[in-house]
Amino acid sequence: MEKNALFKLSYGLYVLGVNDGNKPNGCIINTAVQLTSNPYRIAVTVNKANYTHDVLMKSKNMTLSVLDITCPFDIFKRFGFQSGKEVNKFDGFDMYDLKDSLPYLTQYANAYMKGHVIETLDELTHTMFIVELDDAVILNEHDSMTYDYYFKNVKPKPEKKKKGWVCKICGWVYEGDELPEDLICPICKHPASDFEPL
């Protein structure tokens, strides 16, 4: 099976917002899809290694900020390349607001939705959350950012001079001639099979 074929599926990019009771938190996800329109329900799939996953499992409430094509790489670094267990991702960040204590982006997102979890499905490395929406608001008319757009226009290209392997998902570089088979990307948690030579 050619795993790269899965990259041809069209995905959007989002900031999933939660609150652990002490502070807002969020992470970048690319797996959200509308399920029904009466009632309005979406499915959101989150990697179990993410702190946001654990908070959502406990709190059952979330927001989803739909990133648009104006979103810079710094937003992906803030919400995708560090853990809410170790840092407050919203500390010093003023481009957000709260809806019932849940964070959503007020810039670089063309819409946000707020909802509550009504069901969960265990999908091995991820959990699929079935979410009923309580609110949805359009913030601007910019086009939504797709995974493809992110890779072609936002994510920095790795330097070609280094010897090593680059994660096709987040761009982290492992330096060395041989890639360990059991390597897990420290940034996005993807396995060695998602790396390619520089």
Side-chain angles (χ1 to χ4, degrees):
M1 179 169 89
E2 287 188 61
K3 289 176 64 177
N4 287 350
L6 296 176
F7 293 134
K8 299 298 184 183
L9 291 173
S10 179
Y11 298 100
L13 288 162
Y14 314 91
V15 172
L16 174 64
V18 295
N19 193 312
D20 66 7
N22 297 311
K23 67 180 188 305
N25 190 56
C27 72
I28 298 287
I29 65 167
N30 69 336
T31 46
V33 62
Q34 181 178 345
L35 295 176
T36 63
S37 59
N38 188 18
Y40 286 108
R41 289 183 179 166
I42 62 174
V44 174
T45 307
V46 187
N47 190 317
K48 291 179 182 178
N50 289 344
Y51 179 63
T52 304
H53 170 276
D54 298 342
V55 175
L56 184 54
M57 281 294 279
K58 189 173 181 180
S59 72
K60 305 294 188 208
N61 291 294
M62 52 146 278
T63 55
L64 192 70
S65 299
V66 182
L67 298 178
D68 66 42
I69 59 172
T70 68
C71 186
F73 187 65
D74 283 348
I75 298 297
F76 293 93
K77 288 184 354 187
R78 176 178 288 271
F79 293 103
F81 297 171
Q82 56 186 349
S83 173
K85 289 179 189 173
E86 299 158 2
V87 299
N88 180 343
K89 295 183 184 182
F90 286 91
D91 190 32
F93 183 73
D94 62 359
M95 294 175 277
Y96 79 101
D97 207 340
L98 298 174
K99 176 73 173 180
D100 301 328
S101 80
L102 298 166
Y104 67 90
L105 271 60
T106 55
Q107 281 188 278
Y108 308 126
N110 59 21
Y112 81 88
M113 297 152 213
K114 177 191 169 290
H116 60 279
V117 175
I118 59 170
E119 184 180 350
T120 60
L121 299 167
D122 189 313
E123 298 297 336
L124 302 176
T125 58
H126 291 64
T127 299
M128 178 182 284
F129 297 90
I130 308 302
V131 177
E132 190 159 302
L133 296 182
D134 305 313
D135 197 11
V137 176
I138 293 175
L139 300 172
N140 68 54
E141 296 301 324
H142 295 298
D143 290 338
S144 297
M145 179 162 317
T146 64
Y147 216 31
D148 188 52
Y149 186 93
Y150 166 77
F151 278 109
K152 290 179 178 173
N153 301 290
V154 178
K155 185 181 102 166
K157 306 294 184 248
E159 294 178 24
K160 296 291 184 185
K161 295 178 184 176
K162 291 182 182 177
K163 285 189 176 181
W165 303 78
V166 62
C167 176
K168 294 184 284 189
I169 306 303
C170 71
W172 181 76
V173 174
Y174 173 84
E175 292 186 32
D177 293 329
E178 295 293 323
L179 183 69
E181 290 182 15
D182 61 348
L183 179 73
I184 300 294
C185 179
I187 304 298
C188 69
K189 312 296 188 243
H190 279 255
S193 59
D194 285 327
F195 281 71
E196 63 185 3
L198 286 175

